[in-house]
Amino acid sequence: EAQVTQNPRYLITVTGKKLTVTCSQNMNHEYMSWYRQDPGLGLRQIYYSMNVEVTDKGDVPEGYKVSRKEKRNFPLILESPSPNQTSLYFCASSLGSGQPQHFGDGTRLSIL
Amino acid sequence: QKEVEQDPGPLSVPEGAIVSLNCTYSNSAFQYFMWYRQYSRKGPELLMYTYSSGNKEDGRFTAQVDKSSKYISLFIRDSQPSDSATYLCAFGQYNFNKFYFGSGTKLNVKP
């Protein structure tokens, strides 16, 4: 089954404690992206990757890092999380830029 | 001015009604137009995808794009309680790597 898998689905943690949210897709997609979804603000792009070792900033990259060492994986790293990063996060993938994206089921992060 | 505007609702309709969901946009460079449906505690799933003005139909769903007015719509015929979800419009550009999403319209179809 074609899917985008995120882990963990839920996480409550404290300010400053580094965390990683993993994302994996099994569709051999080149393009992957991370979004955060906040009430009234919709989906905002954090980072995206066109292919292995190729990443670039989206609209809200501050406080986040990503890496793309393998085609299927695109982890999101919060080196020093802060409460304003409390949000619902989605990973997505597609065949290429401009193509419709497939989304994971989301990771709800709470930073206390 | 926001690049994408979408009424958040909520929109409540009786089962069987025709539903109209709309988005306006300001960026004339947008070339791809999408509608996603998002159920509670799930990720968005693609409903409709088009890159031209006019109508595109898929079952009970019709996507309409008016590039001259910078306006897109999603029509749902014979709405069902299972259509209750949040609907997101989305936009993209050729050879441009960012996507832009509306904030979503919450739809409730009452049995």
Side-chain angles (χ1 to χ4, degrees):
Chain A
E1 180 191 350
Q3 58 186 8
V4 177
T5 304
Q6 296 178 228
N7 280 296
R9 292 292 312 279
Y10 304 91
L11 179 63
I12 301 174
T13 187
V14 295
T15 299
K17 187 176 180 183
K18 181 180 177 180
L19 67 92
T20 299
V21 184
T22 63
C23 173
S24 181
Q25 51 93 5
N26 62 1
M27 295 166 279
N28 201 35
H29 283 168
E30 291 191 344
Y31 182 93
M32 297 187 74
S33 186
W34 275 103
Y35 295 86
R36 60 178 289 174
Q37 187 175 40
D38 301 289
L41 296 177
L43 282 162
R44 293 180 293 167
Q45 197 168 32
I46 303 171
Y47 269 95
Y48 61 89
S49 169
M50 294 298 295
N51 213 323
V52 175
E53 302 291 4
V54 182
T55 63
D56 206 350
K57 296 176 181 178
D59 293 314
V60 289
E62 294 78 19
Y64 305 95
K65 282 176 56 177
V66 293
S67 69
R68 187 96 181 268
K69 293 184 168 50
E70 304 166 282
K71 198 171 187 178
R72 63 183 291 128
N73 296 323
F74 190 45
L76 179 69
I77 303 155
L78 284 72
E79 294 268 5
S80 183
S82 62
N84 65 10
Q85 293 177 299
T86 292
S87 187
L88 179 58
Y89 290 85
F90 288 100
C91 180
S93 73
S94 65
L95 280 171
S97 63
Q99 296 297 307
Q101 297 176 85
H102 298 256
F103 283 82
D105 280 337
T107 295
R108 186 166 291 282
L109 283 183
S110 294
I111 316 292
L112 304 177
Chain B
Q1 183 187 7
K2 277 187 180 179
E3 294 207 75
V4 178
E5 299 272 5
Q6 184 176 11
D7 188 331
L11 182 61
S12 188
V13 302
E15 184 176 352
I18 296 174
V19 175
S20 171
L21 304 167
N22 310 297
C23 284
T24 59
Y25 63 97
S26 59
N27 189 341
S28 57
F30 287 157
Q31 294 165 298
Y32 301 106
F33 308 92
M34 293 155 274
W35 284 96
Y36 285 83
R37 177 175 61 197
Q38 185 176 16
Y39 291 115
S40 181
R41 289 186 291 278
K42 301 288 279 185
E45 58 176 322
L46 182 71
L47 271 181
M48 302 289 281
Y49 171 71
T50 184
Y51 48 84
S52 57
S53 279
N55 292 353
K56 180 177 181 180
E57 192 173 314
D58 185 359
R60 296 185 295 111
F61 298 93
T62 300
Q64 186 175 81
V65 174
D66 183 344
K67 289 186 182 180
S68 60
S69 301
K70 297 192 182 68
Y71 189 88
I72 69 170
S73 299
L74 177 71
F75 298 97
I76 307 174
R77 290 185 299 281
D78 187 26
S79 56
Q80 303 294 310
S82 58
D83 295 327
S84 297
T86 296
Y87 290 79
L88 305 164
C89 57
F91 302 83
Q93 296 172 234
Y94 177 71
N95 265 351
F96 194 68
N97 301 314
K98 293 184 184 179
F99 293 85
Y100 296 87
F101 287 82
S103 54
T105 300
K106 189 168 185 178
L107 172 67
N108 180 33
V109 181
K110 298 174 291 185

